[in-house]
Amino acid sequence: MLIASFMSVASLSPAPVRKFSKNPLIAFYQSSIGKKYVVAGTGLILIVYVLGHLVGNLQIFSGQERINAYSKFLHDLGPILWLVRVFLLAAFVTHIVATIQLAQENRLAKPRKYAVTGYQRSTMASRTMLISGLIILCFVIYHLLQFTLQVTDPKFRHMHDSLGHHDVYRMLILGFKNPFVSLFYTVGLFLLTNHLSHGFASVVQTLGINNRKIASFVASGGQTLAWVVFIGYVSIPVTILLGIIK
Amino acid sequence: MNFKLKVWRQKDGASPGSFKDYDAKDVPSEASFLEMLDIVNESLAASGEDPIAFDSDCREGICGTCSLVINGIPHGPGKGTTCQLYMRRFADSDTIWIEPFRAAAFPPIKDLVVDRSAFDRIIEAGGYIVVRTGSAPEANSLPVAKHDADLAMEAAACIGCGACVAACPNSAAMLFVSAKVSHLGLLPQGQAERESRVIHMVRKMDELGFGSCRNHYECEAICPAEVSATFMARLNQDYALASAKKVLAV
Ligand code: FES
């Protein structure tokens, strides 16, 4: 159906005009696919971080000494630790900003919804990416205040083990002993799982790696990864609340 | 068969529209959806009311002119075009909602007719190859790998109907653009303009006010030509590589 219309288009089109810079790098970001690349690239960085952080946390099951030594190792990295933190923060902020910009463009592109919804393929996870992402943002802020900046409970700052290291082990146990903290943590993780179950496959698709040979594997792989993350992280408050770790 | 219709009526692009109720009476089950509307229009014309405006041309499922969103699904239930949808797919006395394709880039013209010429603007931006025309070259002078030929053919199946845009919650045209970019980009004849093509077509798509893909794949689910969503991954890669070359050339 590539037949020019007889009607005047100019007077009908409500779409806002979008311009592209002469600088190809800026123009790339101005384009929809460019922003999608940025969201996918930063998403990938954050996925790698979530997995790395999980491996670190699971050392709680190897006992107090092990996880406290791990925490000391991280802190001893000094400037490198800060470099990584700034890098992660930048990835996190960029991920959110580019997504919000895309969401605005997309809202303008669909000025009116259908009277009847007839979704065929999309999932709850895919349709709630924006809201799950924003709640995860709140969760991350609380999480950092609690365990990194330790402002929710000043006691955390003065906990040291027999070797004089900061006692991460006891901090986690004390923190998660509070059922509300554990509940909020589990809800946050559930939303993260939801986000990742669509996010991982989206990253592969958006970065242009996807093809029909791997498509179904990528989709189920993303789901599996998301649930591994959920079970891994939530195992910590659950075992603490059940008194298995004390 | 009898149906209750809720049809979107809109005088023109400048006026607001609304749903109106109609009864479709004594429709044969073998009538296509468009023929059912023809029957309703005959009775409307007889009673002096303005007939419902909708698009159609070949009525054979090949031209992509017919549109409509039926019960929230572009081209109605099942794959295939609206002209190939038959009333036996519905149950007797069903209520059927009929809306136009909705997208900022497809402004309404009248009732169920929208202006899809934005697709033409995207094609003009790069969906072609520049070659000297003349007598057909020797068929085997340009070998094409079977795998590429098959993929290019699949992409070329796109009939440009715009249902992908209608189905997408973001009104993204990426399935359409990916089909057009891939169809030429996979073949040797399309290589010369491969990079400028993808950049210009994507920018045009953005300029015209289409949204972008969030990987819901509603488009793939309803595409009457069964164009695969993996062509969009190809599009993303092609676009990023072409942009990277431009960045590095500076
Ligand atoms: S009218 Fe040509 S495809 Fe439906």
Side-chain angles (χ1 to χ4, degrees):
Chain A
M1 198 262 353
L2 297 168
I3 312 153
S5 159
F6 305 109
M7 311 284 286
S8 130
V9 188
S11 63
L12 295 172
S13 176
V17 186
R18 288 178 51 189
K19 291 257 169 280
F20 292 93
S21 161
K22 287 237 180 315
N23 179 319
L25 196 61
I26 298 176
F28 180 69
Y29 187 80
Q30 284 170 328
S31 72
S32 56
I33 296 184
K35 276 196 275 291
K36 278 165 54 59
Y37 255 86
V38 170
V39 174
T42 49
L44 186 62
I45 293 169
L46 295 169
I47 290 175
V48 170
Y49 170 72
V50 161
L51 293 175
H53 185 45
L54 175 62
V55 171
N57 283 8
L58 288 178
Q59 296 182 49
I60 193 171
F61 293 112
S62 306
Q64 185 172 22
E65 227 167 274
R66 179 68 185 267
I67 193 162
N68 288 356
Y70 173 66
S71 144
K72 182 174 177 328
F73 160 75
L74 287 183
H75 282 106
D76 287 350
L77 290 175
I80 300 177
L81 176 68
W82 276 103
L83 224 69
V84 173
R85 281 175 167 171
V86 169
F87 177 73
L88 285 172
L89 184 70
F92 194 67
V93 171
T94 313
H95 189 73
I96 296 168
V97 170
T99 304
I100 291 176
Q101 287 176 335
L102 281 170
Q104 260 160 353
E105 290 169 12
N106 288 335
R107 204 166 34 84
L108 290 174
K110 194 89 174 176
R112 195 188 172 99
K113 303 252 176 293
Y114 295 112
V116 187
T117 44
Y119 294 129
Q120 302 286 296
R121 184 76 58 83
S122 60
T123 59
M124 202 54 188
S126 78
R127 291 197 298 267
T128 53
M129 285 302 270
L130 215 55
I131 188 77
S132 63
L134 289 173
I135 301 174
I136 291 165
L137 170 66
C138 301
F139 168 75
V140 168
I141 291 172
Y142 175 76
H143 191 65
L144 289 177
L145 289 176
Q146 185 181 23
F147 289 134
T148 308
L149 299 171
Q150 298 156 354
V151 294
T152 57
D153 191 340
K155 267 196 299 245
F156 286 175
R157 263 182 232 178
H158 309 295
M159 298 173 89
H160 295 286
D161 63 11
S162 53
L163 296 171
H165 300 159
H166 180 229
D167 197 350
V168 176
Y169 185 84
R170 294 203 6 92
M171 176 177 83
L172 288 180
I173 291 179
L174 203 69
F176 286 129
K177 270 268 182 265
N178 182 335
F180 292 108
V181 169
S182 284
L183 183 70
F184 184 52
Y185 186 83
T186 308
V187 171
L189 254 304
F190 179 74
L191 289 168
L192 180 64
T193 302
N194 216 45
H195 202 74
L196 287 182
S197 74
H198 181 68
F200 178 77
S202 285
V203 166
V204 176
Q205 167 82 359
T206 301
L207 295 182
I209 306 161
N210 205 13
N211 61 49
R212 72 189 69 195
K213 277 197 211 104
I214 62 166
S216 65
F217 174 74
V218 167
S220 53
Q223 307 262 347
T224 313
L225 183 88
W227 284 102
V228 164
V229 164
F230 182 79
I231 294 168
Y233 277 103
V234 171
S235 68
I236 298 169
V238 166
T239 42
I240 289 174
L241 280 179
L242 292 176
I244 299 171
I245 303 182
K246 39 184 169 235
Chain B
M1 303 178 85
N2 298 310
F3 303 100
K4 288 218 166 316
L5 306 183
K6 296 201 175 276
V7 184
W8 183 263
R9 302 301 308 259
Q10 185 167 2
K11 199 166 135 262
D12 51 40
S15 329
S18 62
F19 286 98
K20 267 197 89 176
D21 292 355
Y22 296 97
D23 287 315
K25 290 203 191 92
D26 303 323
V27 179
S29 65
E30 67 272 17
S32 77
F33 202 86
L34 300 183
E35 285 160 351
M36 181 276 292
L37 287 177
D38 290 338
I39 293 170
V40 173
N41 273 345
E42 269 167 32
S43 67
L44 288 181
S47 66
E49 207 185 314
D50 199 14
I52 301 161
F54 62 92
D55 268 326
S56 79
D57 191 6
C58 73
R59 299 208 176 190
E60 289 184 335
I62 49 175
C63 74
T65 306
C66 56
S67 54
L68 309 186
V69 173
I70 301 159
N71 290 338
I73 306 170
H75 293 304
K79 292 218 175 185
T81 55
T82 304
C83 58
Q84 295 300 300
L85 173 67
Y86 295 92
M87 295 319 291
R88 54 179 175 267
R89 278 288 302 233
F90 299 88
D92 198 27
S93 70
D94 265 2
T95 300
I96 305 174
W97 291 77
I98 311 171
E99 293 178 74
F101 282 2
R102 296 204 194 272
F106 288 166
I109 293 176
K110 185 179 175 164
D111 297 340
L112 304 169
V113 181
V114 299
D115 183 347
R116 284 171 282 176
S117 57
F119 270 11
D120 299 340
R121 304 288 93 76
I122 295 177
I123 294 294
E124 285 164 11
Y128 51 79
I129 58 168
V130 177
V131 283
R132 216 193 287 226
T133 54
S135 54
E138 214 288 303
N140 291 328
S141 61
L142 256 186
V144 182
K146 169 93 170 89
H147 173 257
D148 293 343
D150 287 350
L151 267 184
M153 274 306 264
E154 261 189 57
C158 168
I159 52 176
C161 64
C164 45
V165 174
C168 177
N170 303 337
S171 297
M174 280 178 62
L175 192 65
F176 168 76
V177 174
S178 73
K180 299 302 172 190
V181 162
S182 302
H183 145 216
L184 296 172
L186 278 157
L187 297 174
Q189 293 89 335
Q191 296 311 308
E193 294 124 336
R194 180 166 174 179
E195 283 151 22
S196 62
R197 171 183 309 117
V198 69
I199 291 200
H200 290 138
M201 289 179 82
V202 167
R203 285 189 185 173
K204 185 52 81 181
M205 163 186 104
D206 287 348
E207 280 167 14
L208 289 163
F210 289 103
S212 58
C213 180
R214 281 180 58 202
N215 311 313
H216 296 298
Y217 305 142
E218 291 290 343
C219 53
E220 185 189 59
I222 55 85
C223 176
E226 308 200 355
V227 174
S228 162
T230 50
F231 282 117
M232 293 193 288
R234 254 193 83 84
L235 169 71
N236 293 336
Q237 195 187 62
D238 256 20
Y239 180 74
L241 289 178
S243 299
K245 277 203 182 167
K246 274 193 123 189
V247 171
L248 295 175
V250 166

